């Protein structure tokens, strides 16, 4: 093992020596302390105390006083794997129902209460667990415990058939949005059906089948809750700044009376094997065919999991992998990678590749090369560098996750749920560190070598000849048991009995504002401005180079040049190959990304601070000494071309691209995708890339923001790698005038057989201004479409079930801005959705926000400030905003003043000035056959566009 990886390993020393103290029962059996884990020296461990209530609820407390916030997570050990055959999607549907209110929390009030408290919230479901979480200012903890306990113990009396129907429609919309209406979206479902035996808990997806969702009613849902949502199947984890004794008292008060549910046994592991390769295929609206090979594996935390993770890294991750060398580097594929996907009951070893069809490469070719790559791996064996970089690359993210209380709580909750041991991080790291070369070869022979797999071909519509191999396995017709209606009278409700009035919501604590990070400024030896902040919570550094070399500087006939240049900086330099640089970064446990946007190119890096100097040395090499090799250029250009074609297959991106071009004008580069178009990319040569780099990549166009546990002096010392960088970049050319838009015009793009319609409604507005009128527009928008319980979302999602979600915003850049409301809606509700959006905006303009809505916006937007500066990435974003817009360090204080003093009269005036529907245009991407007749009945002029956004002349085919 190299010195670099041993440095990383030094962090790991002593992990298993964490102090774990088992505790006897306390004087009160109500809250029993099970164990206490503390941290010694520099070991990687998350300190916690673990308790158990008499009703079986597990409680984990992790104190972290570094920021004035708390994170509350309730994880139930139930996911889609616990569902009955024929009732798929129930766990996920129930997650939605848990936000609809409970006996003492009104309909849709959960979101309002958390938002008003200045918090964020969500819930997630996977095959094995469901969790609900909130991050709030520290003084809002009691209210969060009241909310979570009320839906654990008092949900069912508030559940209605009407709520059930709305959320069922919402989940079906979500499936269309994430699965049915996106390229390759059906791939996981089809693979799971082929991989697992019918009836296996993983043979269906968490989102479920629509036919299953349609065949059940609200009583099925209630039965699911009563079976799985008892406190004895849950873990409550609290992390952050709290008083331990007060928190335990609140936990006992709010959760202690909830009766136990049925006993829950740990599910049996169910890894599977195949007796032969299973070839499957289907056609989809994709730009490139895709090959996916899936080998059955072990199961999560099995002794083979860690060596299989390392095998996946060697085979198909990063520029050091064999698949990259054999497929991507050669230009045969635009993508090829491998990973292991592990679940509680079974794991999968997955390889995904897309061919470069422009060179005549087929899916069959890819399969052959992948299998040849396995043979190559077996012949070469596992090398020392393989182990070093794979282990470092897998362990470093575990360290980075400790930067946030959210990350630490998530680890504690998951580890307790699946192992009964919250202190699992040390064991996980030890498992990786102990993997040997023989272990990796052993699991290769056990799971991959000559072993059957599911080989899935996703091919372009109308091109069945693209499949890798003729199908030898067909989807079975699902055997659904006869549906039996649940007898409501036989549901065994569990009613808590409290000694307090639970209907009284805990009083709202006063808002407080987290202190803005203490900032420092400096300059490198060649005068690059540096803005930094110290973060002492973890020995890590995040740093961003910002270079004013973005799309803004591109010629109109060479759109995509800035992005192509940035991509080339990820390739070879004059001093090193791309593989050598990737190898160094992985062994350091560092991450680096170079990308370009509308206004700038950014290089963002994350590093363990002790490895920062070498990481910055690599950054300097990439930025200043690119090789600009011809072969690299042709490959990277082909990859960017595929991204352009793929973008066209996504309705949302098509709508967004069209909206920007209409508002900002075709002559302005920033109105287009930052990756360019097929036509403009064809115009770009390697000489163009070299010239763009030599013209704009200069120190006078660069700025640096950094968040680190290093102080200013030590940090600037690491910048010596840029000391000899010289030269001046010119200013980008001025923007062309924006076109006048014809309000109340609907621009329509046909997307045949689309499962949903994408809608964008909007107009020109103001550029970004942190303390001016544009900031006031953020306040104005919050009740309209800026929060979950905004007018638009409550109407279209919660009341009508038209969409999975809708939002609106006043978006501001340095030189331009616009207002837009956007949603992906049910095809049969396209015209109705447009009418409702118009109605809500018109109503808002006429009356403005109510007193309650203004108070809600002030409370939510003010209190959430406490959450903005926790992680290094959040601090980095804050610093970047100050630098980008040349803001005063006191702009946050000015925003507080504006927010607290703004009144309805001012907001009413802003609404009338900036939200006139008559000035807005409408962009709709959907199935013309299904929706066009209804759209023609709207009081809007309709202009048809082709997928490129160009007008269709009368008589042309749409």
């Amino acid at each position: 093992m190299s010195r670099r990886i041993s440095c990383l390993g030094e962090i790991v020393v002593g992990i298993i020596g964490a102090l774990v103290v088992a505790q006897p029962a306390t004087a009160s059996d109500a809250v029993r302390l099970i164990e206490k884990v503390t941290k010694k020296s520099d070991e990687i461990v998350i300190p916690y105390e673990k308790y158990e209530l008499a009703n079986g609820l597990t409680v984990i407390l992790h104190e972290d006083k570094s920021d004035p916030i708390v994170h509350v997570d309730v994880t139930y050990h139930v996911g889609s794997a616990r569902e009955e055959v024929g009732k798929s999607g129930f766990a996920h549907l129930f997650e939605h129902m848990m936000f609809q209110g409970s006996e003492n929390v009104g309909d849709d009030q959960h979101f309002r209460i958390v938002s008003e408290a200045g918090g964020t919230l969500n819930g997630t479901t996977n095959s094995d667990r469901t969790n609900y979480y909130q991050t709030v200012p520290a003084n809002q903890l009691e209210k969060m415990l009241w909310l979570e306990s009320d839906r654990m113990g008092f949900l069912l009396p508030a559940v209605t058939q009407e709520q059930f129907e709305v959320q069922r429609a919402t989940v079906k919309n979500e499936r269309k949005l994430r699965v049915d209406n996106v390229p390759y979206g059906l791939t996981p479902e089809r693979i799971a059906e082929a991989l697992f035996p019918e009836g296996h808990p993983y043979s269906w997806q968490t989102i479920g089948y629509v036919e299953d969702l349609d065949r059940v009613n609200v009583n099925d849902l209630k039965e699911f809750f009563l079976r799985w949502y008892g406190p004895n199947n849950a873990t409550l984890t609290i992390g952050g700044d709290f008083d331990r004794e007060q928190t335990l008292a609140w936990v006992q008060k709010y959760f202690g009376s909830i009766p136990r549910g049925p006993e829950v046994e740990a599910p049996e592991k169910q890894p599977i094997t195949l007796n032969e390769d299973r070839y499957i295929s289907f056609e989809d609206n994709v730009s490139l065919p895709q090959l996916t090979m899936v080998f059955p594996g072990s199961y999560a935390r099995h002794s083979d999991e860690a060596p299989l993770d390392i095998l996946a890294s060697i085979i198909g991750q990063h520029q050091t992998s064999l698949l990259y060398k054999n497929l991507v580097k050669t230009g045969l594929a635009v993508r090829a990678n491998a990973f292991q996907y592990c679940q509680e009951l079974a794991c999968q070893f997955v390889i995904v590749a897309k061919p470069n069809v422009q060179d005549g490469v087929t899916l069959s070719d890819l399969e052959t090369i992948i299998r040849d790559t396995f043979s190559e791996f077996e012949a070469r064996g596992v090398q020392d560098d393989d182990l070093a970089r794979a282990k470092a690359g897998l362990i470093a993210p575990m360290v980075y996750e400790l930067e946030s209380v959210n990350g630490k709580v998530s680890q504690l909750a998951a580890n307790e749920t699946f192992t009964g041991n919250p202190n699992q991080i040390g064991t996980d790291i030890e498992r990786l560190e102990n993997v040997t070369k023989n272990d990796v070869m052993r699991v290769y022979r056990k799971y991959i070598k000559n072993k059957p797999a599911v080989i899935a071909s996703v091919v372009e519509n109308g091109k069945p000849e693209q499949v890798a191999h003729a199908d030898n396995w067909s989807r079975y017709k699902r055997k659904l048991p006869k549906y039996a209606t649940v007898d409501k009278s036989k549901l065994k409700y569990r009613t808590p009995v409290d000694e307090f009035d639970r209907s009284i919501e805990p009083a709202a604590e006063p808002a407080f504002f987290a202190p803005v990070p203490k900032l420092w400024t400096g300059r490198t030896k060649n005068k690059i401005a540096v803005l930094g902040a110290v973060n002492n919570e973890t020995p890590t550094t995040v740093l961003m180079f910002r270079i004013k070399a973005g799309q803004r500087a591109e010629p109109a006939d060479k759109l995509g040049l800035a992005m192509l240049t940035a991509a080339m900086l990820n390739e070879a330099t004059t001093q090193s190959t791309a593989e050598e640089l990737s190898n160094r970064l992985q062994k350091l446990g560092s991450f680096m990304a170079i990308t370009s946007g509308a206004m700038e190119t950014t290089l963002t890096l994350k590093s363990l601070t002790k490895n920062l100097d070498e990481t910055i040395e690599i950054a300097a090499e990439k930025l200043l000494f690119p090789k600009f090799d011809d072969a690299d250029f042709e490959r990277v250009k082909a990859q960017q071309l595929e991204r352009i074609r793929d973008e066209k297959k996504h309705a949302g991106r098509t709508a967004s691209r069209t909206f920007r071009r209409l508002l900002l004008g075709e002559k302005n580069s920033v109105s287009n995708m930052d990756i360019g178009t097929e036509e403009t990319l064809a115009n770009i040569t390697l000489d163009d890339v070299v010239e763009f780099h030599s013209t704009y990549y200069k120190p006078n166009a660069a700025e640096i923001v950094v968040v680190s546990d290093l102080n200013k002096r030590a940090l600037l010392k690491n910048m010596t790698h840029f000391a000899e960088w010289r030269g001046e970049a010119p200013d980008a050319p001025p923007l062309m005038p924006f076109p006048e838009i014809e309000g109340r015009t609907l621009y329509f793009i046909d997307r045949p057989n689309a499962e949903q319609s994408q809608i964008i409604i909007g107009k020109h507005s103001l550029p970004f201004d942190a303390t001016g009128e544009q900031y006031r527009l953020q306040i104005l928008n919050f009740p309209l479409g800026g929060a979950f319980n905004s007018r638009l979302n409550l109407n279209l999602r919660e009341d009508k079930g038209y969409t999975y979600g809708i939002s609106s915003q006043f978006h501001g850049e340095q030189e331009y801005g616009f207002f837009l409301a956007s949603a992906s809606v049910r095809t049969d509700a396209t015209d109705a959705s447009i009418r409702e959006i118009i109605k809500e905006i018109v109503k808002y303009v006429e009356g403005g926000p109510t007193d309650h809505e203004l108070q809600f916006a002030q409370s939510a937007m003010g209190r959430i400030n406490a959450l903005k500066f926790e992680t290094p990435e959040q601090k980095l974003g804050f610093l970047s905003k100050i630098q980008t817009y040349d803001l005063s360090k006191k702009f946050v204080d000015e925003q507080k003043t504006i927010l607290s003093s703004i009144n309805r009269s001012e907001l009413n005036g802003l609404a009338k000035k900036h939200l006139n529907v008559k000035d807005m245009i409408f962009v709709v991407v959907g199935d013309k056959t299904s929706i066009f007749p209804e759209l023609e009945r709207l009081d809007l002029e309709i202009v048809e566009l082709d997928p490129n956004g160009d007008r269709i002349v009368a008589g042309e085919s749409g």
Side-chain angles (χ1 to χ4, degrees), residues 8-296:
L8 182 62
E10 287 170 8
I11 297 181
V12 179
V13 173
I15 287 173
I16 308 305
L19 181 60
V20 180
V21 183
Q23 299 289 337
T26 59
S28 169
D29 287 333
V31 181
R32 185 165 65 95
L33 177 62
I34 304 298
E35 66 179 15
K36 180 177 182 178
V37 172
T38 59
K39 180 177 179 179
K40 297 185 299 182
S41 65
D42 292 329
E43 65 192 359
I44 299 179
V45 67
I46 308 172
Y48 67 89
E49 294 178 355
K50 177 179 173 180
Y51 298 85
E52 184 176 274
L53 271 58
N55 59 10
L57 177 68
T58 299
V59 181
I60 300 172
L61 302 183
H62 164 68
E63 290 191 61
D64 178 353
K65 304 290 187 181
S66 59
D67 296 282
I69 62 175
V70 289
H71 185 80
V72 178
D73 177 288
V74 179
T75 297
Y76 296 88
H77 196 172
V78 56
S80 57
R82 304 268 200 182
E83 295 165 347
E84 300 175 32
V85 174
K87 294 184 178 180
S88 66
F90 246 49
H92 176 241
L93 175 58
F94 198 82
E95 176 214 314
H96 280 251
M97 293 300 300
M98 286 281 276
F99 289 97
Q100 298 311 298
S102 47
E103 186 172 5
N104 301 294
V105 179
D107 191 16
D108 293 319
Q109 291 303 295
H110 196 108
F111 283 96
R112 180 196 63 79
I113 291 171
V114 176
S115 297
E116 197 167 39
T120 60
L121 73 160
N122 211 336
T124 66
T125 308
N126 63 28
S127 58
D128 305 312
R129 64 99 185 102
T130 306
N131 74 331
Y132 306 88
Y133 54 90
Q134 297 89 189
T135 306
V136 294
N139 63 353
Q140 306 295 324
L141 175 57
E142 182 184 8
K143 187 170 292 190
M144 298 307 105
L145 297 177
W146 171 74
L147 279 172
E148 284 292 357
S149 65
D150 207 65
R151 61 181 175 184
M152 179 185 284
F154 297 86
L155 181 84
L156 294 188
V159 173
T160 67
Q161 184 68 34
E162 181 183 6
Q163 287 178 329
F164 174 77
E165 295 295 348
V166 169
Q167 292 311 309
R168 172 158 55 185
T170 300
V171 169
K172 289 160 71 173
N173 280 321
E174 182 178 0
R175 179 186 164 98
K176 291 179 180 179
L177 179 69
R178 301 187 189 280
V179 178
D180 302 323
N181 208 40
V182 295
Y184 314 104
L186 283 169
T187 308
E189 181 171 277
R190 297 292 174 85
I191 288 176
E193 292 168 345
L195 183 66
F196 296 102
E198 184 178 7
H200 188 287
Y202 293 161
S203 64
W204 58 82
Q205 296 295 286
T206 299
I207 194 74
Y209 293 102
V210 171
E211 61 184 312
D212 290 359
L213 294 172
D214 283 341
R215 72 201 294 258
V216 296
N217 64 31
V218 70
N219 290 328
D220 294 282
L221 199 75
K222 291 181 178 181
E223 184 180 54
F224 187 86
F225 174 84
L226 291 169
R227 174 66 187 91
W228 300 110
Y229 272 70
N232 50 308
N233 194 36
T235 299
L236 167 64
T237 309
I238 305 169
D241 184 7
F242 56 82
D243 178 88
R244 183 175 63 87
E245 294 303 324
Q246 177 63 80
T247 298
L248 288 173
W250 283 333
V251 169
Q252 173 59 25
K253 173 182 178 180
Y254 291 113
F255 289 90
S257 64
I258 301 173
R260 295 177 69 94
E263 295 306 310
V264 178
E265 299 294 331
E268 289 186 17
K269 310 301 183 185
Q270 298 188 47
I272 56 99
T273 57
L274 299 173
N275 55 11
E276 64 176 353
D277 285 331
R278 292 182 175 178
Y279 287 90
I280 64 172
S281 66
F282 65 95
E283 297 179 19
D284 199 1
N285 183 30
V286 297
S287 59
L288 273 185
Q290 175 177 284
L291 183 76
T292 306
M293 300 179 68
V294 182
F295 296 84

Side-chain angles (χ1 to χ4, degrees), residues 428-445:
D428 289 341
I429 292 176
E430 183 184 38
R431 286 191 304 142
L432 284 166
E433 287 284 8
N434 290 339
V435 172
T436 66
K437 295 178 182 180
N438 288 336
D439 290 328
V440 179
M441 295 306 299
R442 176 181 57 80
V443 297
Y444 164 74
R445 296 187 181 100

Side-chain angles (χ1 to χ4, degrees), residues 853-873:
E853 287 175 327
L854 173 56
Q855 181 183 4
F856 170 68
Q858 290 173 317
S859 179
M861 294 178 69
R863 286 177 169 142
I864 202 171
N865 179 73
L867 279 59
K868 289 183 176 179
F869 312 121
E870 182 199 6
T871 68
E873 282 79 6

